[in-house]
Structure formats: C-alpha cells, structure tokens
Amino acid sequence: MDNSTFRYFVFFIYSTVFFTLFGRIELALESFLFVFIFWSGSKLFNLTIWKAIRIRVSSGVLFHRKDGSVTISNEQSSTQDKLLFEEFNAHYCVENNPGSGFPYRGITLLHYQRDFSYDRTGANLISSGFIHWELLQNFMDVTEPLADIPQFEYYREFDKTTAEFDKANGRPKYFWYRVDKHFKKRVNEEKLLLINEFNDEEQLNNLLTGKPIRKLTPPDIFKFPWKYADDIKAESEIKFGKTLWQKFTSFLMIDL
C-alpha cells in the first residue's frame, strides 16, 4: 500500500470513529462500509488476479548466485531473459535530477552483445557505486563466502561455500541477530572511516582523468566481525517470524 492509499484509508477510519462519537451512525456505517469494500477488494485482487500476473509484469533484475545468471525483463515483450553475469561489463554512470540538476552517481551493467542493462545510482558519491559493484561480484562468486552483512545473515547456512567458511572459522550461527546495536554502530563507524580514507572527490577526479582508482584493504572486522563483538546473545534467545500483533496488522493492511 503506497502513502497516498494509506492516507485515504486512515482518513476513512478516523471519519468512521468521528461520526460514531457524534451520533452520526448512518454516516459512520457508510464510512465503515466503504473501507470494508475497499479492503476486501484489495485482498481478493491480491489472492487471485495479482497472484496470477505479478510474475509476468515484474520488471526487476534478479541475480542468481547458484548458476551465475541474471534475469532481466524484456521491454519489447512480456518475457524475461536469462543471461550470464560474466557477460556484463560495469561502467560508471551519473544521472541528474531534471529539476535541480543534482547528480546521482553509480554503475551500469551493460551486456556485451544484447541490449540489456542494469542501473544503480545513489548518493553523489562514486564510492557507493564501487561498493555496490563489489557486493554484486561477491554475491555472484560461488568460490567465496557471502559478504558478512546483516542482509545475508539468514541465508548463510543455505550457501555451501559460506556454510563451510563459517564452520571452519567458528562463526556463531545467526551472528547479526545476536549482537547489540553498539557493535553495529562500531561497524558503521569503521565503514565511514574507510569512505573518508577513500576520498571520493579525489577518486572521482582520478576516474574522469583516467588515473588509477585507489584500492582499500578493509580491516578484519568486516571479514571476521564475530571476533570483535563483546556481547553475543545465546542462540536460544533469537525469535524468528512475526508476533501475533504484527500478523494481525499485516492482515489489516490494504494490499494495493
């Protein structure tokens, strides 16, 4: 549900309560009926029509670690093409906000033969593009373990290379679920130090003038973070899944 839909939904809920408090029962029932029909329709659409067509209308790019392929939607048809990741070349790109002219820097992956590309731009920093490119290379390289970041935590045990690395190095299972926010803050501070050391403005000038880009060697806290954490909760304290309240509120949300 997008923000505008959510605002309308909240407006009608408040209208129902408002009319009820002031004795306007008929108006309250009309508001409630409108919300109920809208909510029921969204649920029905999500469980039937959308479930059948969402794969066909998907325009996302999927990176498959197991077989080293990339799935991209074909803009000329409703099909999806599967191409090898190694057939893409990475290029620096910049997009400008049409209103302010503010630049967003990042990378573009271009297929060496076919008219397919993947674009990713973010802040006005070339470091964000390099970070994303290295993350993609790491994710697609099955000979190396997955990057030790919270986003991959749940999936580490299902990846053979990563599971073997974790077992060989004594990495605690579900590590990022078990450390406190102070350690995560420390890791973030180390990341900011690396970004400052990279000196984005200087490296952007190097990139544009054809000079070598500075390479950094990240400290071991990024490769073996569990060795630097002081407080790791017991695995038995971890709780996965949604609480009953979260499940209830998710069920009430409009699926549009």
Side-chain angles (χ1 to χ4, degrees), residues 104-163:
Y104 297 94
R105 306 185 190 279
I107 60 167
T108 295
L109 300 188
L110 298 175
H111 192 265
Y112 83 104
Q113 190 176 38
R114 302 181 62 184
D115 187 20
F116 287 104
S117 65
Y118 165 78
D119 303 293
R120 174 63 181 262
T121 57
N124 184 22
L125 298 169
I126 63 167
S127 57
S128 60
F130 283 119
I131 290 171
H132 187 66
W133 172 229
E134 289 208 7
L135 182 64
L136 285 178
Q137 291 181 92
N138 164 261
F139 181 78
M140 299 299 286
D141 185 357
V142 293
T143 65
E144 292 291 331
L146 290 169
D148 207 328
I149 56 178
Q151 292 92 326
F152 292 157
E153 182 60 66
Y154 182 79
Y155 309 98
R156 295 184 70 88
E157 63 179 308
F158 304 110
D159 181 74
K160 182 180 178 181
T161 307
T162 308

Side-chain angles (χ1 to χ4, degrees), residues 140-197:
M140 299 299 286
D141 185 357
V142 293
T143 65
E144 292 291 331
L146 290 169
D148 207 328
I149 56 178
Q151 292 92 326
F152 292 157
E153 182 60 66
Y154 182 79
Y155 309 98
R156 295 184 70 88
E157 63 179 308
F158 304 110
D159 181 74
K160 182 180 178 181
T161 307
T162 308
E164 291 175 352
F165 173 85
D166 290 351
K167 183 177 180 180
N169 290 278
R171 183 187 187 277
K173 190 175 181 180
Y174 303 136
F175 168 73
W176 288 107
Y177 293 111
R178 298 164 59 181
V179 292
D180 58 22
K181 60 182 181 181
H182 299 293
F183 178 74
K184 294 177 181 178
K185 182 179 178 181
R186 179 185 171 188
V187 172
N188 189 58
E189 289 172 349
E190 292 285 350
K191 182 189 76 172
L192 293 177
L193 287 174
L194 270 182
I195 292 176
N196 290 332
E197 184 182 343

